[in-house]
Amino acid sequence: MTPDATLTANALKAWRFLYRRGYIEGFGHLSVRLGADRFLLTRHSLGLKAGAGDFLLVDMEGKKLAGRGDLPGEYPIHVEILRSRPDVGSVIHYHGMHSTAFTTSEQTLKPIHLVGTLFHDGVPVYPDPRLVSSRQRGEALAKALGPHRAVLLRAHGAAITGSSVEEAVGGAFLFEENARRACISAGLGKPVWIDEQTAADAGGELLKSRGPFRRVWAMVEAENEEQG
């Protein structure tokens, strides 16, 4: 299998994993970098039954080069984050129920569980709830993301990054898990967040070991084998 074919196969596994868990449900998209000037991007309105042809080949100007179907309307999310962050190999945008709730409340999402410490350096909030459907908005979102692993879009969703699709899907899964636990805690009273120093120490250990990302990807692979 060629490197590009392997990337596509893994992107399909990631897509199905997130779709089955309700992260996408018709809204959301996933991209994977192919070198410096191209990337793969899920087409508009893609469902669970997806194939390699449903990933569009796109250049860094947002022009579709190959693939069936239309670009998703918010393709500038991927263009501008990948353009501004050469360390990012994959971007996932989805409308997380629990994480997005923290953009419409007085609470700020922080690490409340061990896996949340992966995002110990903070989760910025992009303030504009409108669709990121232009280069200008994409650039503003990328600026809001900065050097962080994730950014929340107010009253809209989240964008999660990773050096690879394996890391990005693990990041999305663990980001939403931390948010879910935080929502539960907030419902019981005042959330007790992990303090900054402990979160930095714990997150540093997890990022060094890569254990959480490997564990989530093992789940992706196992589910893919079970589902066929």
Side-chain angles (χ1 to χ4, degrees), residues 2 8 12 14 36 38 82 99 124-125 136 154 169-171 174 179 199 206 218:
T2 66
T8 304
L12 279 167
R38 301 176 304 148
L82 292 172
S99 58
V125 178
Q136 182 180 15
R154 183 172 70 88
V169 72
L174 298 168
L206 294 181

Side-chain angles (χ1 to χ4, degrees), residues 117-172:
T117 65
L118 291 166
F119 305 92
H120 66 85
D121 63 341
V123 180
V125 178
Y126 172 67
D128 188 345
R130 295 176 296 176
L131 294 175
V132 184
S133 54
S134 68
R135 181 169 186 171
Q136 182 180 15
R137 293 179 189 175
E139 288 175 343
L141 176 63
K143 183 177 179 180
L145 170 66
H148 302 282
R149 304 182 70 84
V151 60
L152 284 166
L153 290 71
R154 183 172 70 88
H156 181 166
I160 312 296
T161 68
S163 62
S164 64
V165 68
E166 295 90 341
E167 184 177 306
V169 72

